[in-house]
Amino acid sequence: MRHLLSSQQLSVENITEILDMASTFLTPTGLQPTAQRALVDKRFVLAFFEPSTRTRLSFETAIDRLGASSVVFSQAGSSVEKGETLQETIHTIEAMGFDGIIIRHADNGVHEQVASYTKMSVINAGEGSTAHPTQALLDASTIREQFGRIRGINVVITGDLLHSRVARSNADVLSRMGANIAYCAPDQLCPHDAQFAQLRRFDNVRDAMQWADVVYLLRIQRERISADIVPSLDEYRKKYAITRELALDQPHVMIMHPGPVNVGVELDEEVLLAKQCLIHRQVTHGVAVRMAILEKIFSDND
Ligand code: CP
């Protein structure tokens, strides 16, 4: 494995190996206090063409804990703003001697293109509406820790699936690891991909919670709550939000979300503090899983 471009390139054995490795970096409440030094002398660039908090900081933390170094490239303030092409930007970065480039980009297909012309390892940190493989792996890791297994766990993905790269990567990884996947969304935000065509659909999250072990919420962008998508915020919340009351009513159902969360839209603020909420544990798994991925890529290629 030289690049991580999509979840589909990983076999079930690869995924299990990454989750097993990640689990050695975790404690029940955080990360192992002693960092690893497996990638000393490796140099990474984090090239984020879209905003990020969790993915960018967790990759930076993972790199630091592996004894490697990183620098951040941001589109804002770079020569991209003067018209430099992506290919020329990548060749410029490569000429500075980096071993790996971690890319988030709004366009589908960019990561594969970059991998075709660079010698650096390319790691996908979010791609358009199609792929967020490291998010899916950290979510699988969180579910496996919580339940002791992934096989047989009922996961309902709820919210804006149409525009969600997380939904696509998660449905792929979790279903191949044996979870049962369903979804819950308004008609206008349902995905059209074949991947979802045969899956069970719920019309509201209250019914979905009767079936689910995990409700995996997706961010609903306020700009999509308009007359032609969802008639009103109240209407959306009535059917798809996890309110404080709903969480209290179904305490055995775990609540996950990739972040950032739209408090007051897809969930209430109190839900973030509930015992059944795994959202901050997901972030910790994000560091461990990204450490495992980097270590796997560079140990496979040394
Ligand atoms: N889950 C996720 O990708 O979050 P960020 O946009 O903060 O990186």
Side-chain angles (χ1 to χ4, degrees), residues 2 19 26 34 52 70 98 113 136 138 158 160 173 233 238 273 290 300:
R2 192 159 88 82
L19 302 195
L26 290 160
T34 48
S52 166
S70 64
F98 290 100
Q113 268 171 33
L138 78 87
T158 301
D160 182 0
V173 167
L233 178 58
K238 223 180 277 171
L273 302 175
R290 288 169 177 131
D300 281 0

Side-chain angles (χ1 to χ4, degrees), residues 48 50-58 104 125-126 132 134-135 138-139 165-166 216 219 257-260 282 290:
F48 278 63
E50 272 190 349
S52 166
T53 298
R54 289 150 203 77
T55 311
R56 203 188 94 177
L57 284 181
S58 61
R104 171 170 290 190
H132 198 346
T134 62
Q135 180 71 46
L138 78 87
D139 291 332
R165 54 190 171 215
V166 172
Y216 192 99
R219 189 164 68 100
H257 192 307
Q282 286 172 260
R290 288 169 177 131

Side-chain angles (χ1 to χ4, degrees), residues 114-126:
V114 172
S116 73
Y117 60 66
T118 183
K119 291 197 278 294
M120 296 180 285
S121 285
V122 177
I123 294 131
N124 188 335

